[in-house]
Amino acid sequence: MTLKSELSNLEKTLQSSNIDDLIERMLNNIGSIDGELRDHLIYTSFGKLILEDYLTIKQMNHILEVCLRNLFLNIGQKGNDSVFTRSFSSLVIVLVVKKDREKHFLSDEILKQTILDSIKYLKLEEDIRGYVTGKGWAHSIAHGADLLTEAISHPKFNINLSDLCLETVKLCLFKDSTIELPFVDEEEERLIFAVEALQEKGVTEGEMGDWVIKISYELNNVFEKEGYSLAFSRKKSIIINFLRGYYFRLLYKNKCLNLRGKIVDILEQWQKKMYN
């Protein structure tokens, strides 16, 4: 019986299969280029097993160990299939960290390393493709942002890492694409969730105001260096979309009036700079 057929009928499989063997096969195929197997079967099956208490603490620690190692498989490379292993391993780590918020089974040392690796992964990932024709979702930045958000949301997140997290999110906004396209699959929205998680942890409105100004300043540096180049145009599109999305998230929640004002000022400045 194939892994696909086993996972398609997971309840029956769990009654008749060795769960340790099943876990290993799922981990070995976590980066499969078969989108149905990778996304709809392996990931969702891990979700059921982890969140619905099918696994022992030892099994969850093993899954975390393998997926943390996978995060840095061929890291920095662009355009090859290893991105699927990195990206979907990050999603499985999200599940384990989420479960730890409920059960508190991870050691402090492992949890600390997991949080640091979540930041490091998003910083180092260079293959920012979203949907890959014929292979399905890579979506590394979105999935990495989900992992960072979950890491920040954990009760044991160290607030002293906030500046590093903000710097990493900013770095993502300026990453270069292999296909010369900006984010087109809502990556900016997922990064906003990480920023919101930091604010919930205590990052102040003033600190966020300084941060959005830094983003605009860095974009202006790109403009002064490259002028109206394609690279600048792509980065500007990403930054403007991110700031607009962030503004409306704050507006929906009726929060941070002064910060919203700073974002509006930045958007207005870029509108005038580009079109007046």
Side-chain angles (χ1 to χ4, degrees):
M1 186 178 292
T2 66
L3 182 58
K4 256 188 176 182
S5 60
E6 289 181 81
L7 296 181
S8 295
N9 196 353
L10 184 59
E11 291 285 358
K12 182 177 180 180
T13 298
L14 292 174
Q15 295 172 10
S16 58
S17 297
N18 182 301
I19 196 165
D20 286 324
D21 290 342
L22 182 64
I23 288 170
E24 288 307 310
R25 293 167 65 201
M26 291 166 65
L27 288 171
N28 289 338
N29 288 277
I30 199 168
S32 170
I33 60 172
D34 181 335
E36 181 185 4
L37 175 61
R38 180 186 68 248
D39 197 340
H40 298 293
L41 292 174
I42 291 177
Y43 169 62
T44 56
S45 295
F46 270 126
K48 182 176 183 64
L49 294 175
I50 293 169
L51 299 180
E52 297 183 17
D53 297 317
Y54 282 88
L55 304 181
T56 65
I57 291 175
K58 181 179 179 180
Q59 288 167 334
M60 288 191 286
N61 271 280
H62 173 64
I63 290 168
L64 179 62
E65 179 185 357
V66 173
C67 288
L68 285 173
R69 188 164 61 244
N70 284 347
L71 280 184
F72 304 103
L73 174 70
N74 297 330
I75 194 71
Q77 294 184 10
K78 300 180 181 182
N80 64 40
D81 293 336
S82 62
V83 67
F84 295 107
T85 296
R86 296 191 299 271
S87 181
F88 278 81
S89 292
S90 73
L91 282 184
V92 174
I93 296 170
V94 170
L95 297 171
V96 176
V97 175
K98 185 186 296 290
K99 192 64 178 179
D100 186 68
R101 290 170 63 186
E102 174 190 341
K103 296 292 187 179
H104 313 294
F105 58 89
L106 295 176
S107 70
D108 287 347
E109 181 181 358
I110 290 174
L111 181 60
K112 178 181 178 181
Q113 190 60 52
T114 300
I115 292 171
L116 290 173
D117 282 351
S118 72
I119 302 170
K120 182 180 178 182
Y121 167 63
L122 201 51
K123 181 179 180 180
L124 295 180
E125 180 61 79
E126 294 295 336
D127 192 334
I128 67 172
R129 290 175 293 169
Y131 188 83
V132 180
T133 301
K135 298 177 181 179
W137 291 103
H139 228 193
S140 60
I141 298 302
H143 294 173
D146 292 346
L147 175 55
L148 182 61
T149 301
E150 190 62 39
I152 294 167
S153 299
H154 196 283
K156 292 187 178 180
F157 174 78
N158 186 344
I159 192 65
N160 292 327
L161 294 173
S162 295
D163 286 346
L164 181 58
C165 291
L166 287 174
E167 182 63 27
T168 299
V169 171
K170 179 164 69 70
L171 179 66
C172 286
L173 297 174
F174 287 90
K175 285 182 184 285
D176 293 318
S177 171
T178 56
I179 53 176
E180 296 186 333
L181 288 174
F183 295 145
V184 294
D185 294 310
E186 298 187 348
E187 289 88 348
E188 302 100 329
E189 292 289 332
R190 306 279 268 274
L191 289 166
I192 290 170
F193 295 149
V195 171
E196 288 182 322
L198 286 170
Q199 289 184 267
E200 291 172 4
K201 285 290 185 175
V203 174
T204 67
E205 182 177 358
E207 289 172 317
M208 293 309 304
D210 292 341
W211 182 69
V212 296
I213 289 171
K214 286 180 184 177
I215 291 174
S216 181
Y217 179 79
E218 189 164 327
L219 180 60
N220 192 64
N221 287 342
V222 175
F223 178 64
E224 290 183 352
K225 179 181 178 181
E226 301 188 11
Y228 293 95
S229 66
L230 179 60
F232 164 73
S233 177
R234 300 305 192 194
K235 289 180 172 63
K236 178 179 71 70
S237 176
I238 291 171
I239 299 300
I240 296 303
N241 286 340
F242 175 83
L243 291 175
R244 284 174 180 159
Y246 187 29
Y247 171 83
F248 280 107
R249 290 284 297 178
L250 293 170
L251 181 64
Y252 298 155
K253 295 183 176 183
N254 195 26
K255 292 175 59 177
C256 302
L257 181 62
N258 290 335
L259 175 56
R260 279 158 34 205
K262 287 185 179 181
I263 294 173
V264 169
D265 288 343
I266 291 170
L267 293 173
E268 183 179 9
Q269 289 166 13
W270 279 104
Q271 175 76 16
K272 290 179 178 179
K273 193 180 189 75
M274 294 294 102
Y275 303 110
N276 286 359

